[in-house]
């Protein structure tokens, strides 16, 4: 493992360097941390309006220096910086107690290159086409159970569905007894909150409740995963299986611990995010009859390009993850500033997506902006990050969205009981509809 780079923070920041940093808030670190954790969708635009496209905030632990960037050209500089200098894994250290030290999100340099290479065969185009029918079947089963004529929280339903996709398509678990045991345990893992994530910065907390309760559930999930890995290693029909775990075993050389960490990463990174992007898509369709009709026509006609565009536009208008981070391992020139080793760089996805310079009518849900001969300019649509650290599961997520939209739109009309848009609220590292995307579904005539 690569030795961690010390954070640039209150204890390591000298006065001369402090004067050369981009301008930023003078609020106490704890206040800035709370504002970032709970109100980043309004906090960041206010800071940009006051301090410009590049600004500095300070967050726990150790009053660390975070430089936030909101212009595509500056973010391209970050994504284009050699990964040996801009470490993404070190920007995710709070996830270590949850995902594991070998998670693709937490490793850097040679470890990241090796693991990403071994993961790629399970997420290339050929593999994705093989998952489509399994996802479509699970989607049809779930949407067929939607209540008709009664308002319900669609986000909860989407979370149940994307969890089932992870368990069956990614983990390859199809035994009903094992699924019944896994579902409630995994739900505890994926519902991890910011308080639990503090254990990544303050390991002493892991010995106390509620961290101890979380770790107990995690150990129970691990027991099942390790048993599943052991069974799969000895399965004579491994090459015939079409789940992600089997493809990983067939394509790479993994230790059990490394495999476990990748599976938990795929669970946490691919469950809540896809469920939330779908909830936002239906949130818009329930309030825009013209877009609903267009989506239904695409679903009926098998127009995957339009369904894909709907998923992309939901991710643009309502970025599930508002920002991604890197930590500098050496001094680097970024956005016109000479930033020292240990600085955390934060690419503000939400600010880029909402900028009228990047997207005309940026507040309007308009999937056709992703179709035709003039797609969004490079670097302006970045819900999956960018560079060598772009989310490896991006294609899987968009495929899942397309199949679920198809399953629902071929069966239902959807309306919003309250036409007022639901605001976004933070849920862990994501931004979700405040009322769970409450909709009413009726059978199409």
């Amino acid at each position: 493992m690569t030795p961690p780079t010390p954070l640039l923070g209150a204890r390591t920041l000298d006065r001369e360097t402090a004067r050369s940093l981009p301008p930023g808030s003078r609020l106490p670190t704890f206040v800035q941390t709370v504002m970032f954790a709970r109100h980043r969708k309004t906090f960041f635009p206010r800071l940009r309006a006051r301090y410009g496209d590049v600004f500095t905030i300070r967050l726990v632990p150790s009053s660390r220096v975070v430089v936030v960037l909101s212009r595509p050209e500056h973010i391209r500089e970050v994504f284009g910086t050699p990964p040996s200098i801009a470490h993404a894994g070190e920007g995710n250290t709070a996830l270590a107690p949850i995902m594991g030290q070998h998670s693709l999100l937490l490793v850097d340099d040679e470890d990241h290159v090796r693991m990403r290479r071994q993961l790629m065969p399970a997420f290339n185009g050929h593999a994705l086409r093989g998952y489509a029918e399994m996802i479509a079947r699970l989607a049809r089963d779930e949407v067929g159970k939607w209540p008709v004529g009664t308002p319900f929280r669609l986000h909860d339903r989407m979370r149940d569905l994307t969890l089932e996709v992870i368990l069956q398509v990614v983990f390859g678990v199809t035994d009903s007894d094992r699924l019944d045991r896994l579902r409630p345990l995994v739900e505890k893992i994926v519902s991890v909150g910011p308080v639990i994530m503090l254990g990544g910065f303050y390991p002493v907390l892991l010995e106390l409740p509620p961290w101890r309760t979380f770790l107990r559930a995690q150990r129970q999930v691990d027991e099942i995963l390790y048993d599943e890995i052991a069974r799969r290693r000895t399965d004579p029909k491994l090459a015939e299986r079409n789940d992600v775990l089997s493809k990983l075993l067939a394509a790479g050389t993994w230790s059990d611990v490394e495999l476990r960490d990748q599976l938990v990463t795929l669970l946490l990174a691919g469950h809540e995010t896809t469920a939330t992007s779908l909830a936002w898509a239906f949130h818009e369709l329930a309030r825009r009859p013209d877009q609903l009709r267009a989506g239904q026509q695409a679903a009926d006609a098998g127009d995957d390009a339009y369904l894909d565009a709907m998923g992309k536009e939901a991710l643009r208008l309502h970025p599930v993850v508002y920002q991604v981070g890197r930590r500098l391992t050496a001094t680097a020139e970024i956005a016109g500033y000479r930033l020292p080793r240990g600085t955390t760089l934060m690419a503000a996805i939400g600010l880029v997506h909402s900028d009228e310079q990047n997207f005309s009518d940026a507040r309007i849900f308009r999937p056709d902006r992703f179709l035709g001969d003039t797609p969004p300019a490079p670097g302006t649509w970045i819900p999956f990050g960018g560079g060598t650290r772009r989310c490896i599961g991006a294609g899987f997520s968009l495929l899942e969205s397309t199949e679920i939209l198809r399953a629902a739109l071929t069966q239902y009309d959807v309306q919003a009981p309250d036409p007022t848009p639901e605001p976004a609220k933070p849920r862990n590292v994501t931004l979700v509809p405040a009322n769970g995307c409450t909709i009413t579904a009726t059978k199409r005539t």
Side-chain angles (χ1 to χ4, degrees):
M1 300 294 288
T2 306
T5 305
L7 285 168
L8 182 67
R11 297 176 182 174
T12 55
L13 181 62
D14 60 74
R15 290 183 179 179
E16 182 177 351
T17 302
R19 285 194 293 268
S20 66
L21 289 171
S25 174
R26 296 181 179 275
L27 291 170
T29 295
F30 178 76
V31 175
Q32 292 190 54
T33 301
V34 171
M35 292 296 292
F36 168 70
R38 304 299 303 171
H39 306 288
R40 51 190 173 274
K41 192 174 181 181
T42 54
F43 185 46
F44 273 21
R46 289 204 301 269
L47 291 175
R48 181 176 61 176
R50 181 168 181 179
Y51 299 109
D53 296 321
V54 185
F55 55 87
T56 301
I57 60 174
R58 286 173 172 78
L59 304 175
V60 299
S62 304
S63 192
R64 62 180 165 131
V65 173
V66 179
V67 173
V68 180
L69 304 113
S70 63
R71 293 188 64 82
E73 60 268 31
H74 295 157
I75 292 173
R76 282 197 294 270
E77 290 180 27
V78 175
F79 290 161
T81 298
S84 60
I85 294 176
H87 273 186
E90 292 190 27
N92 297 319
T93 50
L95 300 174
I98 305 163
M99 293 185 174
Q101 297 290 342
H102 302 284
S103 164
L104 187 68
L105 293 181
L106 289 162
V107 294
D108 288 299
D109 300 329
E110 294 85 358
D111 290 329
H112 179 263
V113 173
R114 174 178 63 86
M115 290 187 182
R116 190 177 181 95
R117 185 183 299 120
Q118 293 190 148
L119 281 161
M120 282 303 297
F123 294 97
N124 62 25
H126 176 73
L128 292 177
R129 288 189 290 274
Y131 305 140
E133 180 50 40
M134 288 192 290
I135 296 171
R137 173 179 54 80
L138 292 171
R140 290 191 297 267
D141 289 347
E142 165 55 30
V143 302
K145 301 172 187 174
W146 284 6
V148 175
T150 303
F152 67 99
R153 291 168 58 91
L154 182 124
H155 188 223
D156 295 340
R157 295 280 183 156
M158 289 295 99
R159 295 182 75 246
D160 290 343
L161 174 52
T162 57
L163 176 58
E164 206 65 25
V165 170
I166 294 289
L167 294 179
Q168 297 196 39
V169 181
V170 177
F171 292 4
V173 178
T174 55
D175 177 77
S176 58
D177 291 338
R178 181 160 287 207
L179 285 169
D180 288 343
R181 185 181 171 202
L182 261 174
R183 288 186 190 103
L185 290 171
V186 169
E187 182 60 33
K188 293 179 182 178
I189 302 299
V190 299
S191 297
V192 59
V195 172
I196 296 295
M197 292 171 65
L198 280 175
F201 292 125
Y202 306 105
V204 67
L205 294 176
L206 300 178
E207 301 299 322
L208 305 170
W211 294 272
R212 196 166 56 219
T213 302
F214 170 81
L215 292 175
R216 186 182 304 117
Q218 187 182 61
R219 283 192 295 270
Q220 291 176 290
V221 170
D222 287 351
E223 288 176 7
I224 299 174
L225 290 182
Y226 282 126
D227 183 63
E228 198 66 36
I229 291 168
R231 292 186 184 194
R232 209 67 57 82
R233 286 190 187 279
T234 58
D235 187 345
K237 297 182 178 180
L238 177 67
E240 301 173 20
R241 294 183 62 100
N242 199 32
D243 55 85
V244 172
L245 172 56
S246 296
K247 290 184 181 296
L248 292 180
L249 281 167
T253 303
W254 303 89
S255 70
D256 286 359
V257 174
E258 288 175 336
L259 265 179
R260 175 269 177 203
D261 289 356
Q262 305 319 317
L263 291 176
V264 173
T265 299
L266 292 170
L267 166 67
L268 292 170
H271 164 61
E272 182 75 39
T273 51
T274 304
T276 301
S277 69
L278 281 160
W280 282 121
F282 282 103
H283 170 276
E284 293 300 323
L285 295 176
R287 291 165 173 79
R288 299 183 182 277
D290 55 336
Q291 292 294 349
L292 175 62
R293 286 191 296 272
Q296 289 170 331
Q297 291 169 3
D300 293 344
D303 185 352
D304 286 10
Y306 194 84
L307 296 176
D308 178 73
M310 293 177 75
K312 289 178 176 176
E313 177 66 348
L315 284 165
R316 183 204 66 80
L317 184 59
H318 301 283
V320 178
V321 177
Y322 200 79
Q323 76 293 318
V324 292
R326 304 283 192 272
R327 189 183 305 172
L328 291 178
T329 65
T331 297
E333 291 278 350
I334 301 289
Y337 291 90
R338 186 169 175 80
L339 301 176
R341 176 176 184 253
T343 303
T344 299
L345 305 175
M346 190 171 282
I349 297 169
L351 292 180
V352 175
H353 286 188
S354 63
D355 194 329
E356 289 283 340
Q357 295 183 49
N358 303 324
F359 296 96
S360 61
D361 300 320
R363 297 190 179 190
I364 303 300
F365 182 78
R366 210 180 71 204
D368 61 0
R369 69 175 86 238
F370 288 92
L371 302 170
D373 299 327
T374 55
T380 58
W381 186 77
I382 50 173
F384 299 105
T388 61
R389 302 297 297 229
R390 187 175 187 268
C391 175
I392 199 168
F396 188 95
S397 176
L398 291 170
L399 167 68
E400 194 174 356
S401 294
T402 294
E403 294 300 337
I404 293 171
L405 284 166
R406 187 197 327 276
L409 294 177
T410 52
Q411 294 191 47
Y412 297 106
D413 291 314
V414 293
Q415 300 86 30
D418 181 355
T420 305
E422 294 184 25
K425 71 173 184 180
R427 177 185 169 92
N428 309 331
V429 298
T430 62
L431 292 171
V432 304
N435 298 319
C437 183
T438 300
I439 66 166
T440 302
T442 54
K443 287 288 187 178
R444 288 180 59 185
T445 55

